[in-house]
Amino acid sequence: QVQLVESGGGLVQTGGSLRVSCTASGRTFSSYAMGWFRQAPGKEREFVAAITRSGEGTNYADSVKGRFTISRDNAKNTVFLQMNSLKPEDTAVYYCAAGLGWPTVHYDYWGQGTQVTVSS
């Protein structure tokens, strides 16, 4: 079992930056690829970014490519999502997830989410 807890969400102005974090319990964090997803009100959950177990490989949705950066620190059981040049359409609840496989990741564990709001 892996428990995931997100943090770092908040309110930011258009063009600003924010970093959200996700810390995992257990000693098997480095066994999992990690991903970030988001869900805006009235919309389906969508993929944002993913990172391999080692952190050497990453994948991004086109909508965030060049603005967001995913990274991880396996020693601290934490994955990060650095978000720059934020837009109002980035407003959503952001979830982290852990899973197996690459580049197709089958996510088995999910966090509870953290709210990110970008004001115009």
Side-chain angles (χ1 to χ4, degrees), residues 1-6 22-25 28-37 45 49-51 53 72 77 79 95-101 105-111:
Q1 285 285 343
V2 177
Q3 292 185 324
L4 304 172
V5 179
E6 299 95 337
C22 171
T23 301
S25 63
T28 59
F29 178 73
S30 60
S31 299
Y32 295 94
M34 299 297 297
W36 284 97
F37 291 76
R45 187 175 298 187
I51 190 167
R53 295 178 298 172
R72 67 190 296 164
N77 282 11
V79 61
Y95 300 89
C96 71
L100 300 176
V105 183
H106 300 280
Y107 293 98
D108 294 315
Y109 303 101
W110 294 83

PDB file of all heavy atoms in Angstrom, residues 1-6 22-25 28-37 45 49-51 53 72 77 79 95-101 105-111:
ATOM      1  N   GLN A   1       0.829  -1.196   0.000  1.00  0.00           N
ATOM      2  CA  GLN A   1       0.000   0.000   0.000  1.00  0.00           C
ATOM      3  C   GLN A   1       0.868   1.252   0.000  1.00  0.00           C
ATOM      4  O   GLN A   1       1.915   1.286   0.637  1.00  0.00           O
ATOM      5  CB  GLN A   1      -0.903   0.018   1.241  1.00  0.00           C
ATOM      6  CG  GLN A   1      -2.074  -0.934   1.180  1.00  0.00           C
ATOM      7  CD  GLN A   1      -3.174  -0.447   0.252  1.00  0.00           C
ATOM      8  OE1 GLN A   1      -3.205   0.718  -0.107  1.00  0.00           O
ATOM      9  NE2 GLN A   1      -4.060  -1.351  -0.147  1.00  0.00           N
ATOM     10  N   VAL A   2       0.432   2.233  -0.742  1.00  0.00           N
ATOM     11  CA  VAL A   2       1.106   3.523  -0.798  1.00  0.00           C
ATOM     12  C   VAL A   2       0.065   4.590  -0.499  1.00  0.00           C
ATOM     13  O   VAL A   2      -1.001   4.609  -1.121  1.00  0.00           O
ATOM     14  CB  VAL A   2       1.738   3.778  -2.182  1.00  0.00           C
ATOM     15  CG1 VAL A   2       2.359   5.166  -2.227  1.00  0.00           C
ATOM     16  CG2 VAL A   2       2.782   2.713  -2.489  1.00  0.00           C
ATOM     17  N   GLN A   3       0.374   5.441   0.428  1.00  0.00           N
ATOM     18  CA  GLN A   3      -0.497   6.580   0.719  1.00  0.00           C
ATOM     19  C   GLN A   3       0.173   7.856   0.232  1.00  0.00           C
ATOM     20  O   GLN A   3       1.365   8.066   0.493  1.00  0.00           O
ATOM     21  CB  GLN A   3      -0.798   6.655   2.214  1.00  0.00           C
ATOM     22  CG  GLN A   3      -1.656   5.503   2.704  1.00  0.00           C
ATOM     23  CD  GLN A   3      -2.060   5.648   4.160  1.00  0.00           C
ATOM     24  OE1 GLN A   3      -1.286   6.139   4.976  1.00  0.00           O
ATOM     25  NE2 GLN A   3      -3.272   5.238   4.480  1.00  0.00           N
ATOM     26  N   LEU A   4      -0.597   8.673  -0.466  1.00  0.00           N
ATOM     27  CA  LEU A   4      -0.068   9.874  -1.078  1.00  0.00           C
ATOM     28  C   LEU A   4      -0.763  11.100  -0.497  1.00  0.00           C
ATOM     29  O   LEU A   4      -1.998  11.120  -0.402  1.00  0.00           O
ATOM     30  CB  LEU A   4      -0.285   9.829  -2.594  1.00  0.00           C
ATOM     31  CG  LEU A   4       0.295   8.613  -3.316  1.00  0.00           C
ATOM     32  CD1 LEU A   4      -0.157   8.588  -4.769  1.00  0.00           C
ATOM     33  CD2 LEU A   4       1.806   8.600  -3.224  1.00  0.00           C
ATOM     34  N   VAL A   5       0.023  12.102  -0.148  1.00  0.00           N
ATOM     35  CA  VAL A   5      -0.536  13.331   0.413  1.00  0.00           C
ATOM     36  C   VAL A   5       0.037  14.523  -0.341  1.00  0.00           C
ATOM     37  O   VAL A   5       1.255  14.756  -0.320  1.00  0.00           O
ATOM     38  CB  VAL A   5      -0.213  13.455   1.914  1.00  0.00           C
ATOM     39  CG1 VAL A   5      -0.778  14.766   2.462  1.00  0.00           C
ATOM     40  CG2 VAL A   5      -0.780  12.269   2.679  1.00  0.00           C
ATOM     41  N   GLU A   6      -0.851  15.274  -0.987  1.00  0.00           N
ATOM     42  CA  GLU A   6      -0.434  16.454  -1.732  1.00  0.00           C
ATOM     43  C   GLU A   6      -0.425  17.687  -0.830  1.00  0.00           C
ATOM     44  O   GLU A   6      -1.173  17.747   0.164  1.00  0.00           O
ATOM     45  CB  GLU A   6      -1.377  16.740  -2.909  1.00  0.00           C
ATOM     46  CG  GLU A   6      -1.462  15.647  -3.958  1.00  0.00           C
ATOM     47  CD  GLU A   6      -2.619  14.713  -3.724  1.00  0.00           C
ATOM     48  OE1 GLU A   6      -3.098  14.621  -2.572  1.00  0.00           O
ATOM     49  OE2 GLU A   6      -3.060  14.070  -4.695  1.00  0.00           O
ATOM     50  N   CYS A  22       3.962  16.099  -3.403  1.00  0.00           N
ATOM     51  CA  CYS A  22       3.224  14.892  -3.039  1.00  0.00           C
ATOM     52  C   CYS A  22       4.198  13.971  -2.324  1.00  0.00           C
ATOM     53  O   CYS A  22       5.196  13.552  -2.915  1.00  0.00           O
ATOM     54  CB  CYS A  22       2.655  14.237  -4.280  1.00  0.00           C
ATOM     55  SG  CYS A  22       1.933  12.606  -4.015  1.00  0.00           S
ATOM     56  N   THR A  23       3.896  13.664  -1.089  1.00  0.00           N
ATOM     57  CA  THR A  23       4.757  12.805  -0.291  1.00  0.00           C
ATOM     58  C   THR A  23       4.093  11.457  -0.082  1.00  0.00           C
ATOM     59  O   THR A  23       2.901  11.376   0.238  1.00  0.00           O
ATOM     60  CB  THR A  23       5.063  13.458   1.059  1.00  0.00           C
ATOM     61  OG1 THR A  23       5.707  14.708   0.834  1.00  0.00           O
ATOM     62  CG2 THR A  23       5.987  12.581   1.890  1.00  0.00           C
ATOM     63  N   ALA A  24       4.880  10.405  -0.277  1.00  0.00           N
ATOM     64  CA  ALA A  24       4.358   9.052  -0.185  1.00  0.00           C
ATOM     65  C   ALA A  24       4.820   8.373   1.093  1.00  0.00           C
ATOM     66  O   ALA A  24       5.935   8.611   1.572  1.00  0.00           O
ATOM     67  CB  ALA A  24       4.817   8.234  -1.390  1.00  0.00           C
ATOM     68  N   SER A  25       3.964   7.533   1.619  1.00  0.00           N
ATOM     69  CA  SER A  25       4.350   6.718   2.764  1.00  0.00           C
ATOM     70  C   SER A  25       4.990   5.436   2.257  1.00  0.00           C
ATOM     71  O   SER A  25       4.865   5.077   1.085  1.00  0.00           O
ATOM     72  CB  SER A  25       3.122   6.374   3.606  1.00  0.00           C
ATOM     73  OG  SER A  25       2.224   5.589   2.837  1.00  0.00           O
ATOM     74  N   THR A  28       8.661   1.957  -0.653  1.00  0.00           N
ATOM     75  CA  THR A  28       8.710   1.487  -2.026  1.00  0.00           C
ATOM     76  C   THR A  28       8.463   2.596  -3.033  1.00  0.00           C
ATOM     77  O   THR A  28       8.136   2.327  -4.174  1.00  0.00           O
ATOM     78  CB  THR A  28       7.659   0.385  -2.229  1.00  0.00           C
ATOM     79  OG1 THR A  28       6.355   0.926  -1.932  1.00  0.00           O
ATOM     80  CG2 THR A  28       7.945  -0.806  -1.352  1.00  0.00           C
ATOM     81  N   PHE A  29       8.629   3.842  -2.618  1.00  0.00           N
ATOM     82  CA  PHE A  29       8.337   4.986  -3.491  1.00  0.00           C
ATOM     83  C   PHE A  29       9.086   4.881  -4.801  1.00  0.00           C
ATOM     84  O   PHE A  29       8.525   5.122  -5.873  1.00  0.00           O
ATOM     85  CB  PHE A  29       8.699   6.269  -2.759  1.00  0.00           C
ATOM     86  CG  PHE A  29       8.498   7.512  -3.570  1.00  0.00           C
ATOM     87  CD1 PHE A  29       7.222   7.981  -3.828  1.00  0.00           C
ATOM     88  CD2 PHE A  29       9.579   8.232  -4.065  1.00  0.00           C
ATOM     89  CE1 PHE A  29       7.022   9.135  -4.565  1.00  0.00           C
ATOM     90  CE2 PHE A  29       9.396   9.378  -4.809  1.00  0.00           C
ATOM     91  CZ  PHE A  29       8.122   9.841  -5.055  1.00  0.00           C
ATOM     92  N   SER A  30      10.356   4.506  -4.760  1.00  0.00           N
ATOM     93  CA  SER A  30      11.173   4.463  -5.967  1.00  0.00           C
ATOM     94  C   SER A  30      10.777   3.324  -6.904  1.00  0.00           C
ATOM     95  O   SER A  30      11.303   3.237  -8.011  1.00  0.00           O
ATOM     96  CB  SER A  30      12.645   4.339  -5.600  1.00  0.00           C
ATOM     97  OG  SER A  30      12.876   3.161  -4.858  1.00  0.00           O
ATOM     98  N   SER A  31       9.865   2.471  -6.492  1.00  0.00           N
ATOM     99  CA  SER A  31       9.387   1.396  -7.349  1.00  0.00           C
ATOM    100  C   SER A  31       8.302   1.851  -8.315  1.00  0.00           C
ATOM    101  O   SER A  31       7.932   1.107  -9.225  1.00  0.00           O
ATOM    102  CB  SER A  31       8.819   0.250  -6.500  1.00  0.00           C
ATOM    103  OG  SER A  31       9.811  -0.286  -5.655  1.00  0.00           O
ATOM    104  N   TYR A  32       7.790   3.052  -8.102  1.00  0.00           N
ATOM    105  CA  TYR A  32       6.641   3.525  -8.846  1.00  0.00           C
ATOM    106  C   TYR A  32       6.962   4.709  -9.744  1.00  0.00           C
ATOM    107  O   TYR A  32       7.680   5.628  -9.342  1.00  0.00           O
ATOM    108  CB  TYR A  32       5.518   3.948  -7.890  1.00  0.00           C
ATOM    109  CG  TYR A  32       4.949   2.809  -7.089  1.00  0.00           C
ATOM    110  CD1 TYR A  32       5.437   2.526  -5.819  1.00  0.00           C
ATOM    111  CD2 TYR A  32       3.927   2.019  -7.600  1.00  0.00           C
ATOM    112  CE1 TYR A  32       4.918   1.478  -5.084  1.00  0.00           C
ATOM    113  CE2 TYR A  32       3.413   0.971  -6.865  1.00  0.00           C
ATOM    114  CZ  TYR A  32       3.912   0.709  -5.608  1.00  0.00           C
ATOM    115  OH  TYR A  32       3.400  -0.337  -4.891  1.00  0.00           O
ATOM    116  N   ALA A  33       6.393   4.677 -10.947  1.00  0.00           N
ATOM    117  CA  ALA A  33       6.295   5.901 -11.723  1.00  0.00           C
ATOM    118  C   ALA A  33       5.258   6.783 -11.040  1.00  0.00           C
ATOM    119  O   ALA A  33       4.315   6.277 -10.414  1.00  0.00           O
ATOM    120  CB  ALA A  33       5.876   5.596 -13.152  1.00  0.00           C
ATOM    121  N   MET A  34       5.441   8.088 -11.153  1.00  0.00           N
ATOM    122  CA  MET A  34       4.532   9.024 -10.510  1.00  0.00           C
ATOM    123  C   MET A  34       3.920   9.960 -11.542  1.00  0.00           C
ATOM    124  O   MET A  34       4.565  10.328 -12.531  1.00  0.00           O
ATOM    125  CB  MET A  34       5.275   9.852  -9.463  1.00  0.00           C
ATOM    126  CG  MET A  34       5.884   9.038  -8.335  1.00  0.00           C
ATOM    127  SD  MET A  34       4.644   8.184  -7.346  1.00  0.00           S
ATOM    128  CE  MET A  34       3.718   9.567  -6.667  1.00  0.00           C
ATOM    129  N   GLY A  35       2.705  10.332 -11.290  1.00  0.00           N
ATOM    130  CA  GLY A  35       2.032  11.230 -12.216  1.00  0.00           C
ATOM    131  C   GLY A  35       1.244  12.305 -11.486  1.00  0.00           C
ATOM    132  O   GLY A  35       0.911  12.167 -10.307  1.00  0.00           O
ATOM    133  N   TRP A  36       0.998  13.381 -12.216  1.00  0.00           N
ATOM    134  CA  TRP A  36       0.100  14.430 -11.749  1.00  0.00           C
ATOM    135  C   TRP A  36      -1.085  14.524 -12.705  1.00  0.00           C
ATOM    136  O   TRP A  36      -0.903  14.487 -13.924  1.00  0.00           O
ATOM    137  CB  TRP A  36       0.813  15.784 -11.692  1.00  0.00           C
ATOM    138  CG  TRP A  36       1.742  15.943 -10.543  1.00  0.00           C
ATOM    139  CD1 TRP A  36       3.091  15.763 -10.537  1.00  0.00           C
ATOM    140  CD2 TRP A  36       1.395  16.327  -9.198  1.00  0.00           C
ATOM    141  NE1 TRP A  36       3.611  16.003  -9.286  1.00  0.00           N
ATOM    142  CE2 TRP A  36       2.580  16.354  -8.445  1.00  0.00           C
ATOM    143  CE3 TRP A  36       0.196  16.654  -8.569  1.00  0.00           C
ATOM    144  CZ2 TRP A  36       2.608  16.701  -7.088  1.00  0.00           C
ATOM    145  CZ3 TRP A  36       0.210  16.995  -7.232  1.00  0.00           C
ATOM    146  CH2 TRP A  36       1.409  17.021  -6.502  1.00  0.00           C
ATOM    147  N   PHE A  37      -2.252  14.656 -12.130  1.00  0.00           N
ATOM    148  CA  PHE A  37      -3.479  14.842 -12.875  1.00  0.00           C
ATOM    149  C   PHE A  37      -4.202  16.053 -12.296  1.00  0.00           C
ATOM    150  O   PHE A  37      -3.877  16.511 -11.203  1.00  0.00           O
ATOM    151  CB  PHE A  37      -4.373  13.599 -12.743  1.00  0.00           C
ATOM    152  CG  PHE A  37      -3.826  12.388 -13.440  1.00  0.00           C
ATOM    153  CD1 PHE A  37      -2.777  11.654 -12.889  1.00  0.00           C
ATOM    154  CD2 PHE A  37      -4.358  11.960 -14.649  1.00  0.00           C
ATOM    155  CE1 PHE A  37      -2.259  10.537 -13.523  1.00  0.00           C
ATOM    156  CE2 PHE A  37      -3.856  10.839 -15.299  1.00  0.00           C
ATOM    157  CZ  PHE A  37      -2.808  10.134 -14.724  1.00  0.00           C
ATOM    158  N   ARG A  45     -11.189  14.384 -15.128  1.00  0.00           N
ATOM    159  CA  ARG A  45      -9.797  14.403 -14.709  1.00  0.00           C
ATOM    160  C   ARG A  45      -8.904  14.226 -15.925  1.00  0.00           C
ATOM    161  O   ARG A  45      -9.169  13.372 -16.775  1.00  0.00           O
ATOM    162  CB  ARG A  45      -9.534  13.305 -13.687  1.00  0.00           C
ATOM    163  CG  ARG A  45      -8.160  13.339 -13.058  1.00  0.00           C
ATOM    164  CD  ARG A  45      -8.025  12.280 -11.971  1.00  0.00           C
ATOM    165  NE  ARG A  45      -8.976  12.499 -10.884  1.00  0.00           N
ATOM    166  CZ  ARG A  45      -8.967  11.800  -9.757  1.00  0.00           C
ATOM    167  NH1 ARG A  45      -8.068  10.863  -9.566  1.00  0.00           N
ATOM    168  NH2 ARG A  45      -9.859  12.046  -8.826  1.00  0.00           N
ATOM    169  N   ALA A  49       1.300  15.404 -16.068  1.00  0.00           N
ATOM    170  CA  ALA A  49       2.716  15.067 -16.228  1.00  0.00           C
ATOM    171  C   ALA A  49       2.996  13.762 -15.529  1.00  0.00           C
ATOM    172  O   ALA A  49       2.263  13.352 -14.622  1.00  0.00           O
ATOM    173  CB  ALA A  49       3.605  16.168 -15.657  1.00  0.00           C
ATOM    174  N   ALA A  50       4.077  13.094 -15.947  1.00  0.00           N
ATOM    175  CA  ALA A  50       4.499  11.844 -15.322  1.00  0.00           C
ATOM    176  C   ALA A  50       6.013  11.770 -15.326  1.00  0.00           C
ATOM    177  O   ALA A  50       6.681  12.426 -16.136  1.00  0.00           O
ATOM    178  CB  ALA A  50       3.893  10.642 -16.038  1.00  0.00           C
ATOM    179  N   ILE A  51       6.535  10.943 -14.424  1.00  0.00           N
ATOM    180  CA  ILE A  51       7.987  10.799 -14.297  1.00  0.00           C
ATOM    181  C   ILE A  51       8.310   9.341 -13.995  1.00  0.00           C
ATOM    182  O   ILE A  51       7.565   8.663 -13.267  1.00  0.00           O
ATOM    183  CB  ILE A  51       8.533  11.750 -13.211  1.00  0.00           C
ATOM    184  CG1 ILE A  51      10.051  11.796 -13.223  1.00  0.00           C
ATOM    185  CG2 ILE A  51       7.990  11.378 -11.829  1.00  0.00           C
ATOM    186  CD1 ILE A  51      10.622  12.949 -12.405  1.00  0.00           C
ATOM    187  N   ARG A  53      10.508   5.994 -12.573  1.00  0.00           N
ATOM    188  CA  ARG A  53      10.928   5.646 -11.208  1.00  0.00           C
ATOM    189  C   ARG A  53      12.237   6.346 -10.836  1.00  0.00           C
ATOM    190  O   ARG A  53      12.409   6.816  -9.718  1.00  0.00           O
ATOM    191  CB  ARG A  53      11.092   4.145 -11.081  1.00  0.00           C
ATOM    192  CG  ARG A  53       9.797   3.369 -11.239  1.00  0.00           C
ATOM    193  CD  ARG A  53      10.056   1.874 -11.135  1.00  0.00           C
ATOM    194  NE  ARG A  53      10.939   1.399 -12.176  1.00  0.00           N
ATOM    195  CZ  ARG A  53      11.438   0.175 -12.213  1.00  0.00           C
ATOM    196  NH1 ARG A  53      11.166  -0.686 -11.245  1.00  0.00           N
ATOM    197  NH2 ARG A  53      12.213  -0.188 -13.213  1.00  0.00           N
ATOM    198  N   ARG A  72      11.315  14.502  -8.931  1.00  0.00           N
ATOM    199  CA  ARG A  72      11.119  13.676  -7.745  1.00  0.00           C
ATOM    200  C   ARG A  72      12.410  13.585  -6.955  1.00  0.00           C
ATOM    201  O   ARG A  72      13.507  13.720  -7.496  1.00  0.00           O
ATOM    202  CB  ARG A  72      10.621  12.292  -8.130  1.00  0.00           C
ATOM    203  CG  ARG A  72      11.620  11.433  -8.899  1.00  0.00           C
ATOM    204  CD  ARG A  72      10.936  10.161  -9.438  1.00  0.00           C
ATOM    205  NE  ARG A  72      10.467   9.285  -8.362  1.00  0.00           N
ATOM    206  CZ  ARG A  72       9.597   8.296  -8.546  1.00  0.00           C
ATOM    207  NH1 ARG A  72       9.085   8.069  -9.757  1.00  0.00           N
ATOM    208  NH2 ARG A  72       9.224   7.536  -7.531  1.00  0.00           N
ATOM    209  N   ASN A  77      10.917  10.557  -0.675  1.00  0.00           N
ATOM    210  CA  ASN A  77       9.606  10.003  -1.053  1.00  0.00           C
ATOM    211  C   ASN A  77       8.647  11.083  -1.560  1.00  0.00           C
ATOM    212  O   ASN A  77       7.447  11.058  -1.251  1.00  0.00           O
ATOM    213  CB  ASN A  77       8.953   9.285   0.140  1.00  0.00           C
ATOM    214  CG  ASN A  77       9.551   7.912   0.379  1.00  0.00           C
ATOM    215  OD1 ASN A  77      10.580   7.566  -0.192  1.00  0.00           O
ATOM    216  ND2 ASN A  77       8.925   7.135   1.243  1.00  0.00           N
ATOM    217  N   VAL A  79       7.369  13.757  -4.844  1.00  0.00           N
ATOM    218  CA  VAL A  79       7.333  14.194  -6.231  1.00  0.00           C
ATOM    219  C   VAL A  79       6.803  15.622  -6.252  1.00  0.00           C
ATOM    220  O   VAL A  79       5.943  15.983  -5.447  1.00  0.00           O
ATOM    221  CB  VAL A  79       6.480  13.249  -7.098  1.00  0.00           C
ATOM    222  CG1 VAL A  79       5.030  13.201  -6.630  1.00  0.00           C
ATOM    223  CG2 VAL A  79       6.560  13.637  -8.568  1.00  0.00           C
ATOM    224  N   TYR A  95      -4.050  16.217  -8.433  1.00  0.00           N
ATOM    225  CA  TYR A  95      -3.870  14.932  -7.769  1.00  0.00           C
ATOM    226  C   TYR A  95      -2.552  14.300  -8.196  1.00  0.00           C
ATOM    227  O   TYR A  95      -2.189  14.348  -9.376  1.00  0.00           O
ATOM    228  CB  TYR A  95      -4.983  13.966  -8.160  1.00  0.00           C
ATOM    229  CG  TYR A  95      -6.374  14.419  -7.817  1.00  0.00           C
ATOM    230  CD1 TYR A  95      -7.122  15.177  -8.703  1.00  0.00           C
ATOM    231  CD2 TYR A  95      -6.962  14.063  -6.596  1.00  0.00           C
ATOM    232  CE1 TYR A  95      -8.411  15.581  -8.389  1.00  0.00           C
ATOM    233  CE2 TYR A  95      -8.245  14.460  -6.280  1.00  0.00           C
ATOM    234  CZ  TYR A  95      -8.953  15.222  -7.178  1.00  0.00           C
ATOM    235  OH  TYR A  95     -10.240  15.619  -6.865  1.00  0.00           O
ATOM    236  N   CYS A  96      -1.866  13.671  -7.258  1.00  0.00           N
ATOM    237  CA  CYS A  96      -0.729  12.839  -7.640  1.00  0.00           C
ATOM    238  C   CYS A  96      -1.160  11.379  -7.595  1.00  0.00           C
ATOM    239  O   CYS A  96      -2.131  11.018  -6.905  1.00  0.00           O
ATOM    240  CB  CYS A  96       0.479  13.094  -6.764  1.00  0.00           C
ATOM    241  SG  CYS A  96       0.345  12.497  -5.073  1.00  0.00           S
ATOM    242  N   ALA A  97      -0.434  10.568  -8.338  1.00  0.00           N
ATOM    243  CA  ALA A  97      -0.755   9.156  -8.437  1.00  0.00           C
ATOM    244  C   ALA A  97       0.525   8.353  -8.610  1.00  0.00           C
ATOM    245  O   ALA A  97       1.511   8.851  -9.160  1.00  0.00           O
ATOM    246  CB  ALA A  97      -1.706   8.903  -9.601  1.00  0.00           C
ATOM    247  N   ALA A  98       0.487   7.114  -8.146  1.00  0.00           N
ATOM    248  CA  ALA A  98       1.616   6.194  -8.269  1.00  0.00           C
ATOM    249  C   ALA A  98       1.184   4.962  -9.035  1.00  0.00           C
ATOM    250  O   ALA A  98       0.071   4.444  -8.824  1.00  0.00           O
ATOM    251  CB  ALA A  98       2.125   5.797  -6.883  1.00  0.00           C
ATOM    252  N   GLY A  99       2.067   4.490  -9.912  1.00  0.00           N
ATOM    253  CA  GLY A  99       1.707   3.317 -10.684  1.00  0.00           C
ATOM    254  C   GLY A  99       2.910   2.623 -11.284  1.00  0.00           C
ATOM    255  O   GLY A  99       4.055   3.028 -11.074  1.00  0.00           O
ATOM    256  N   LEU A 100       2.628   1.584 -12.060  1.00  0.00           N
ATOM    257  CA  LEU A 100       3.664   0.768 -12.673  1.00  0.00           C
ATOM    258  C   LEU A 100       3.567   0.862 -14.192  1.00  0.00           C
ATOM    259  O   LEU A 100       2.476   1.077 -14.750  1.00  0.00           O
ATOM    260  CB  LEU A 100       3.519  -0.684 -12.216  1.00  0.00           C
ATOM    261  CG  LEU A 100       3.640  -0.934 -10.722  1.00  0.00           C
ATOM    262  CD1 LEU A 100       3.386  -2.405 -10.413  1.00  0.00           C
ATOM    263  CD2 LEU A 100       5.014  -0.513 -10.213  1.00  0.00           C
ATOM    264  N   GLY A 101       4.748   0.665 -14.827  1.00  0.00           N
ATOM    265  CA  GLY A 101       4.797   0.679 -16.277  1.00  0.00           C
ATOM    266  C   GLY A 101       5.311   1.998 -16.806  1.00  0.00           C
ATOM    267  O   GLY A 101       5.332   3.015 -16.103  1.00  0.00           O
ATOM    268  N   VAL A 105       1.461   4.135 -17.932  1.00  0.00           N
ATOM    269  CA  VAL A 105       1.496   3.873 -16.496  1.00  0.00           C
ATOM    270  C   VAL A 105       0.098   3.468 -16.026  1.00  0.00           C
ATOM    271  O   VAL A 105      -0.878   4.162 -16.323  1.00  0.00           O
ATOM    272  CB  VAL A 105       1.967   5.108 -15.713  1.00  0.00           C
ATOM    273  CG1 VAL A 105       2.058   4.786 -14.222  1.00  0.00           C
ATOM    274  CG2 VAL A 105       3.309   5.605 -16.240  1.00  0.00           C
ATOM    275  N   HIS A 106       0.030   2.385 -15.288  1.00  0.00           N
ATOM    276  CA  HIS A 106      -1.226   1.945 -14.696  1.00  0.00           C
ATOM    277  C   HIS A 106      -1.218   2.414 -13.252  1.00  0.00           C
ATOM    278  O   HIS A 106      -0.526   1.852 -12.404  1.00  0.00           O
ATOM    279  CB  HIS A 106      -1.354   0.433 -14.788  1.00  0.00           C
ATOM    280  CG  HIS A 106      -1.331  -0.064 -16.203  1.00  0.00           C
ATOM    281  ND1 HIS A 106      -2.434  -0.015 -17.030  1.00  0.00           N
ATOM    282  CD2 HIS A 106      -0.338  -0.589 -16.952  1.00  0.00           C
ATOM    283  CE1 HIS A 106      -2.129  -0.504 -18.211  1.00  0.00           C
ATOM    284  NE2 HIS A 106      -0.864  -0.849 -18.198  1.00  0.00           N
ATOM    285  N   TYR A 107      -2.001   3.455 -12.987  1.00  0.00           N
ATOM    286  CA  TYR A 107      -1.980   4.083 -11.678  1.00  0.00           C
ATOM    287  C   TYR A 107      -2.882   3.335 -10.700  1.00  0.00           C
ATOM    288  O   TYR A 107      -4.068   3.142 -10.959  1.00  0.00           O
ATOM    289  CB  TYR A 107      -2.412   5.541 -11.794  1.00  0.00           C
ATOM    290  CG  TYR A 107      -1.424   6.385 -12.560  1.00  0.00           C
ATOM    291  CD1 TYR A 107      -1.615   6.678 -13.905  1.00  0.00           C
ATOM    292  CD2 TYR A 107      -0.272   6.869 -11.937  1.00  0.00           C
ATOM    293  CE1 TYR A 107      -0.692   7.435 -14.611  1.00  0.00           C
ATOM    294  CE2 TYR A 107       0.651   7.629 -12.636  1.00  0.00           C
ATOM    295  CZ  TYR A 107       0.435   7.907 -13.976  1.00  0.00           C
ATOM    296  OH  TYR A 107       1.359   8.651 -14.658  1.00  0.00           O
ATOM    297  N   ASP A 108      -2.293   2.952  -9.571  1.00  0.00           N
ATOM    298  CA  ASP A 108      -3.025   2.189  -8.562  1.00  0.00           C
ATOM    299  C   ASP A 108      -3.339   3.001  -7.321  1.00  0.00           C
ATOM    300  O   ASP A 108      -4.257   2.653  -6.569  1.00  0.00           O
ATOM    301  CB  ASP A 108      -2.206   0.961  -8.138  1.00  0.00           C
ATOM    302  CG  ASP A 108      -2.037  -0.035  -9.273  1.00  0.00           C
ATOM    303  OD1 ASP A 108      -3.039  -0.311  -9.969  1.00  0.00           O
ATOM    304  OD2 ASP A 108      -0.914  -0.524  -9.466  1.00  0.00           O
ATOM    305  N   TYR A 109      -2.567   4.049  -7.065  1.00  0.00           N
ATOM    306  CA  TYR A 109      -2.724   4.805  -5.831  1.00  0.00           C
ATOM    307  C   TYR A 109      -2.882   6.292  -6.160  1.00  0.00           C
ATOM    308  O   TYR A 109      -2.181   6.817  -7.029  1.00  0.00           O
ATOM    309  CB  TYR A 109      -1.512   4.600  -4.920  1.00  0.00           C
ATOM    310  CG  TYR A 109      -1.260   3.157  -4.606  1.00  0.00           C
ATOM    311  CD1 TYR A 109      -0.261   2.435  -5.258  1.00  0.00           C
ATOM    312  CD2 TYR A 109      -2.034   2.488  -3.658  1.00  0.00           C
ATOM    313  CE1 TYR A 109      -0.037   1.105  -4.987  1.00  0.00           C
ATOM    314  CE2 TYR A 109      -1.818   1.155  -3.376  1.00  0.00           C
ATOM    315  CZ  TYR A 109      -0.818   0.476  -4.050  1.00  0.00           C
ATOM    316  OH  TYR A 109      -0.603  -0.854  -3.769  1.00  0.00           O
ATOM    317  N   TRP A 110      -3.781   6.934  -5.420  1.00  0.00           N
ATOM    318  CA  TRP A 110      -4.103   8.346  -5.662  1.00  0.00           C
ATOM    319  C   TRP A 110      -4.119   9.112  -4.346  1.00  0.00           C
ATOM    320  O   TRP A 110      -4.505   8.584  -3.302  1.00  0.00           O
ATOM    321  CB  TRP A 110      -5.489   8.465  -6.306  1.00  0.00           C
ATOM    322  CG  TRP A 110      -5.544   7.869  -7.676  1.00  0.00           C
ATOM    323  CD1 TRP A 110      -5.729   6.556  -7.992  1.00  0.00           C
ATOM    324  CD2 TRP A 110      -5.405   8.560  -8.916  1.00  0.00           C
ATOM    325  NE1 TRP A 110      -5.700   6.390  -9.359  1.00  0.00           N
ATOM    326  CE2 TRP A 110      -5.507   7.610  -9.953  1.00  0.00           C
ATOM    327  CE3 TRP A 110      -5.205   9.903  -9.255  1.00  0.00           C
ATOM    328  CZ2 TRP A 110      -5.417   7.956 -11.302  1.00  0.00           C
ATOM    329  CZ3 TRP A 110      -5.116  10.245 -10.594  1.00  0.00           C
ATOM    330  CH2 TRP A 110      -5.222   9.282 -11.595  1.00  0.00           C
ATOM    331  N   GLY A 111      -3.719  10.381  -4.443  1.00  0.00           N
ATOM    332  CA  GLY A 111      -3.840  11.266  -3.305  1.00  0.00           C
ATOM    333  C   GLY A 111      -5.217  11.901  -3.246  1.00  0.00           C
ATOM    334  O   GLY A 111      -6.073  11.649  -4.101  1.00  0.00           O
TER     335      GLY A 111
END
